[in-house]
Amino acid sequence: MAVVGSRRPTPYGEAVAERLGADLAAAGVVVVSGLARGIDAAAHRGALDAGGVTVAVLGTGVDVVYPAENAGLAAEIVGRGGALVSEFADGTPPRRGHFPKRNWTMAAISELVVVVEAAEGSGALITAEAALALGREVMAVPGSVFSPQSVGAHQLLRDGAGLVQNARDVLAVLGRGQEVLDDPLLPPSRLGLAAPVRRDGLLGHLSETLPVTAAELARKLGLGFAEALARLTALELEGSVLRRGEGYVRKLRRE
Amino acid sequence: MVASVLTCLLRGLEGVLVEVQVDVAPGHVAFNLVGLGDASVKEARERVRSALRNSGLGFPLRRLTVNLAPAELRKEGSGFDLPVAVAIALAVAEKRPPPRTAFIGELALDGAVRHADGVLVAARALRAQGVEALFVSPADAAEAALVKGLRVHAPADLAGVMAHLAGTAEAPAVAGLLPSAPLEPPLEDDLAEVHGQEAARRALELSAAGGHHLLLSGPPGAGKTMLARCLPGILPPLTLEEALEVAQVRSILGELGASPLSWERPFRAPHHSVSTAGLVGGGNGLGRPGEISRAHHGVLFLDELAEFQGPALQALRQPLESGRVVITRSRGTVSYPARFTLVAATNPCPCGWLGDDRRACRCPPGAVDRYQRSLSGPLLDRLDLRVAVSRPPLEALSTGSGAESSAAVRARVMTARHRQLHRQECLNAHLKPAGLRRHAPLGAGRRLLERWAEERGLTARGFHRAWRVARTAADLDGAETIQEAHLLEALGYRLAVHERAA
Ligand SMILES: [Zn+2]
């Protein structure tokens, strides 16, 4: 089954993808995704961490890893018994037109597609459309109603996609419902296992709903703890983040 | 016939030179003790009488008056037996007392010299007042011999003491034995074993470097105790003077044995049922040292802070500020040193699971607020560093942590402490406001700190505490002046849940 979603996810989306990847892999499911930044990388990483098998479908030749920052992840996928799959000839560089085709391939080799965070018109929605056209199941994870990253997934839910709260929901649809998993979904203890995402500043790494601690942020960004804490405190003083329990959330903005 | 010898009276960690004067005169047979002896000193009469007889020295059947001078000080303890007996024996023999020589020890009925509490404290005080030789029991010889320039004799019994004084049998001086400081003390609790916990690790390092008090907040099983136990291991070993101060407290309590000096930082973890007297000192007589004085130059760990009795925690406030505890009793006032680093630990709520990502809090509404209010207030305001401790991810427990060892952290701590002592002769946590202004100028950062104080509410004490932590962060960085990042980090060590109420 495939886990797909935004290349610019919120920490919440990344956490969900990583946890789903891990729980599904632990239940013996092969997790398929597209080796892109964000949700894709988090899902692969989660599956690998759970000791599972994961398959990456590329929009380039199998000898060209895009984005380059995921080269280590690609090597690990192969090393752990998974595969890199592509319909393009060796050496094919990334081209805009190739990625929708890649999305079709992903849908084709999966029994079911789960969409985690997709903005309107994103590649993940193309994969979902392809899945429907090919007669595959489509499910979606709900997100914050304040987040533009949730619009696509919510549209799918409105159109009748199955709602995913945890891996059990997915396994039930796959006809493998006997495994008992935790309910509700447990956030991964370590955010940011996925390859580092390059975004400006700290704000982009904070969610409006799920508190992130200074230590988690430091780990994710490869900063020292002291620096992460100082920068968060500066944002707190400036009024753009709030303390929430032990962590920090981004202050809601009216758009 | 009159004779007088020297001994020492203890008041806390002070020793007062006392002269035991004996007058043996013709008249009714009597044995009078004057000079405010308490009950235990009066019991000394019986022991001294028996010890003298059983040592073959005889007890004079004459009018005997013993005066302990200065008379206005209340005498306590059993250490006066030996000097009283020696003074009587010298008076009877019409011998002059040896110059600049003092005696401390209890006597058994057969004349054996026994342990007295506080010999190290007494020995240091006597030496400071010019005494050159001291007679103590064999049990106390090792601790007395720690004092430089003092000749210590420890004959087994009163007869041996008198024989040495008469020149018939010499009691050789006991050699002082200073254990050498270990270069790399083996650690039971090493930070290399701590998985994750970046916030707590950094807070421990700041605490060790600047002497700041620390609050660890987190669910059961998060490793708060383990983290606290790691603190002594990242502190530098005690200096000789510090080791002697630590030994003095244990000497008063009668806990020093054959190897009295230790270079290890004390770590004390009293249970939350401890009484106020047990925690800060008090009890019988003038008051004995409590846990906070046993933790002098080391770490006092209070687990489950909210469970401690209110009065006990209240009593911590003054020692936390001054590094000493003053115990006032009807019969006088004593003070003990109590310069410790406080590490307090608390659950985030009564059930312990608030904020945990794997278990839900089951506390009724209102209970969490009440709990956090009970922790707040003046004590919390004195804890400079407050960090959340979360349970390590399960996967981290099975793999090696690859974390930095205590030895590596200690090296940075020692450099930072050296900078402070060189600059201001004390740790940052002990800087007074005037010292802060002189040694830790804020520059442009002052505006930032003032803005925080205005907008978030910061007491004057909180303002200075954040300032001190920022200075320590700068010292760990090797920075001459406090940068904005150091202030921001310092302000970050304040848990939101406590801020409202504090
Ligand atoms: Zn609770």
Side-chain angles (χ1 to χ4, degrees):
Chain A
M1 58 142 286
V3 176
V4 296
S6 171
R7 276 169 293 140
R8 300 168 57 84
T10 67
Y12 162 78
E14 231 167 347
V16 171
E18 188 186 327
R19 192 80 230 185
L20 277 179
D23 288 350
L24 289 167
V29 174
V30 176
V31 175
V32 177
S33 196
L35 200 67
R37 283 184 189 136
I39 298 294
D40 287 14
H44 287 306
R45 172 59 62 198
L48 289 173
D49 272 5
V53 173
T54 177
V55 169
V57 182
L58 310 186
T60 60
V62 286
D63 54 346
V64 180
V65 174
Y66 177 83
E69 69 200 31
N70 286 343
L73 184 59
E76 212 179 323
I77 288 171
V78 175
R80 302 277 202 89
L84 304 180
V85 175
S86 174
E87 64 194 276
F88 304 105
D90 285 1
T92 306
R95 276 190 206 121
R96 190 174 275 273
H98 286 175
F99 288 98
K101 285 187 183 164
R102 182 272 308 264
N103 294 342
W104 273 83
T105 311
M106 252 196 289
I109 65 171
S110 306
E111 271 180 70
L112 185 153
V113 172
V114 175
V115 177
V116 184
E117 288 202 330
E120 262 177 311
S122 71
L125 293 182
I126 296 176
T127 311
E129 270 170 44
L132 289 172
L134 294 166
R136 310 287 195 257
E137 283 288 341
V138 174
M139 301 182 80
V141 177
S144 163
V145 295
F146 295 112
S147 166
Q149 295 295 344
S150 302
V151 173
H154 288 172
Q155 187 59 49
L156 289 171
L157 289 169
R158 233 179 255 120
D159 293 346
L163 185 146
V164 177
Q165 177 165 309
N166 56 35
R168 191 169 45 192
D169 293 330
V170 179
L171 294 169
V173 171
L174 290 174
R176 306 169 59 161
Q178 66 275 30
E179 289 86 356
V180 176
L181 293 168
D182 296 283
D183 184 21
L185 187 67
L186 295 168
S189 39
R190 298 170 295 165
L191 285 175
L193 280 171
V197 191
R198 285 176 193 83
R199 261 174 274 170
D200 295 332
L202 266 63
L203 269 183
H205 295 273
L206 292 170
S207 141
E208 288 162 354
T209 47
L210 190 76
V212 177
T213 67
E216 283 166 344
L217 201 68
R219 235 173 293 152
K220 178 166 188 164
L221 300 181
L223 299 174
F225 173 80
E227 187 187 346
L229 182 62
R231 286 172 64 181
L232 280 167
T233 310
L235 292 174
E236 191 187 357
L237 189 60
E238 167 194 303
S240 43
V241 309
L242 299 171
R243 301 270 179 113
R244 177 83 54 79
E246 304 166 359
Y248 294 80
V249 292
R250 206 166 58 194
K251 202 164 170 179
L252 282 181
R253 271 171 316 197
R254 281 186 213 112
E255 315 230 358
Chain B
M1 294 159 286
V2 177
S4 73
V5 302
L6 299 174
T7 186
C8 187
L9 169 72
L10 297 180
R11 298 178 60 85
L13 290 190
E14 282 165 55
V16 182
L17 193 66
V18 167
E19 204 178 331
V20 179
Q21 299 159 341
V22 171
D23 181 28
V24 183
H28 292 294
V29 174
F31 185 177
N32 295 319
L33 258 172
V34 295
L36 271 183
D38 81 344
S40 64
V41 174
K42 296 212 169 88
E43 285 166 12
R45 272 197 306 214
E46 305 312 317
R47 292 193 299 267
V48 166
R49 202 195 308 265
S50 296
L52 279 165
R53 282 206 184 108
N54 295 329
S55 302
L57 294 161
F59 192 81
L61 294 174
R62 276 177 281 174
R63 184 183 168 79
L64 192 62
T65 306
V66 177
N67 180 38
L68 304 180
E72 70 277 9
L73 289 176
R74 189 176 282 272
K75 320 297 189 302
E76 289 182 47
S78 55
F80 296 106
D81 293 3
L82 180 62
V84 168
V86 169
I88 293 171
L90 288 172
V92 169
E94 300 193 39
K95 289 231 170 75
R96 295 180 62 81
R100 290 181 288 283
T101 299
F103 302 82
I104 300 169
E106 183 179 316
L107 288 174
L109 298 182
D110 64 359
V113 186
R114 287 192 169 163
H115 162 81
D117 287 345
V119 163
L120 173 59
V121 182
R124 295 191 89 193
L126 289 167
R127 181 69 200 106
Q129 292 172 72
V131 169
E132 289 167 0
L134 176 65
F135 285 77
V136 295
S137 76
D140 298 331
E143 67 177 276
L146 290 175
V147 180
K148 248 184 159 169
L150 190 66
R151 227 167 47 246
V152 175
H153 301 279
D157 52 28
L158 180 57
V161 176
M162 296 315 296
H164 179 90
L165 295 180
T168 53
E170 197 184 329
V174 178
L177 207 77
L178 275 189
S180 54
L183 292 174
E184 284 298 323
L187 293 177
E188 256 179 71
D189 301 287
D190 197 294
L191 280 175
E193 302 297 317
V194 172
H195 305 271
Q197 310 288 22
E198 291 85 350
R201 294 180 75 98
R202 174 69 180 173
L204 281 171
E205 184 168 340
L206 284 164
S207 167
H212 307 285
H213 305 302
L214 177 62
L215 177 72
L216 302 172
S217 171
K224 289 172 292 197
T225 303
M226 167 72 179
L227 285 162
R229 298 195 80 92
C230 284
L231 183 52
I234 57 172
L235 289 165
L238 295 169
T239 63
L240 176 60
E241 182 54 34
E242 288 170 340
L244 285 170
E245 286 176 28
V246 171
Q248 287 198 97
V249 173
R250 292 178 54 218
S251 171
I252 293 283
L253 292 163
E255 289 176 358
L256 284 184
S259 56
L261 206 66
S262 165
W263 303 104
E264 271 175 48
R265 299 259 164 194
F267 180 88
R268 303 294 302 182
H271 187 255
H272 56 67
S273 61
V274 68
S275 67
T276 303
L279 187 63
V280 301
N284 294 334
L286 273 175
R288 287 159 62 81
E291 290 289 341
I292 62 172
S293 295
R294 290 165 180 259
H296 184 49
H297 290 311
V299 176
L300 179 72
F301 177 49
L302 302 183
D303 199 4
E304 303 190 54
L305 187 67
E307 305 290 327
F308 281 79
Q309 296 167 30
L313 294 183
Q314 294 287 316
L316 278 180
R317 285 158 49 180
Q318 178 249 335
L320 278 173
E321 291 293 317
S322 63
R324 292 195 77 76
V325 57
V326 178
I327 303 168
T328 305
R329 324 281 296 190
S330 57
R331 37 171 66 184
T333 297
V334 287
S335 86
Y336 292 109
R339 177 68 81 200
F340 56 90
T341 300
L342 175 61
V343 180
T346 173
N347 292 336
C349 67
C351 85
W353 298 104
L354 184 71
D356 190 74
D357 59 9
R358 275 167 275 176
R359 266 172 78 167
C361 165
R362 292 178 197 287
C363 298
V368 175
D369 267 357
R370 267 198 306 283
Y371 182 82
Q372 287 172 353
R373 258 200 310 277
S374 77
L375 284 176
S376 65
L379 181 61
L380 202 67
D381 210 22
R382 287 169 166 86
L383 302 176
D384 311 354
L385 302 163
R386 304 174 212 162
V387 290
V389 178
S390 47
R391 291 191 301 156
L394 293 176
E395 56 269 33
L397 293 178
S398 52
T399 58
S401 68
E404 214 180 7
S405 71
S406 287
V409 178
R410 185 175 51 222
R412 284 197 300 273
V413 165
M414 286 172 76
T415 307
R417 285 172 81 110
H418 183 78
R419 292 175 65 93
Q420 295 165 54
L421 298 179
H422 183 72
R423 181 177 63 227
Q424 67 216 18
E425 292 176 342
C426 70
L427 294 181
N428 291 332
H430 309 145
L431 271 178
K432 303 266 182 297
L436 268 174
R437 283 190 294 275
R438 187 166 343 114
H439 299 294
L442 279 174
R446 168 169 287 278
R447 187 68 211 106
L448 186 153
L449 196 54
E450 284 170 354
R451 191 174 142 204
W452 185 284
E454 279 161 29
E455 293 177 11
R456 316 274 145 156
L458 206 55
T459 62
R461 194 185 292 120
F463 186 93
H464 287 121
R465 291 200 167 252
W467 189 350
R468 292 184 186 104
V469 172
R471 182 60 258 178
T472 301
D475 283 323
L476 280 169
D477 260 2
E480 285 303 320
T481 54
I482 298 175
Q483 314 289 313
E484 217 170 72
H486 301 134
L487 275 169
L488 287 167
E489 186 193 353
L491 289 168
Y493 294 111
R494 327 173 58 77
L495 290 184
V497 287
H498 299 123
E499 199 60 22
R500 270 174 291 146

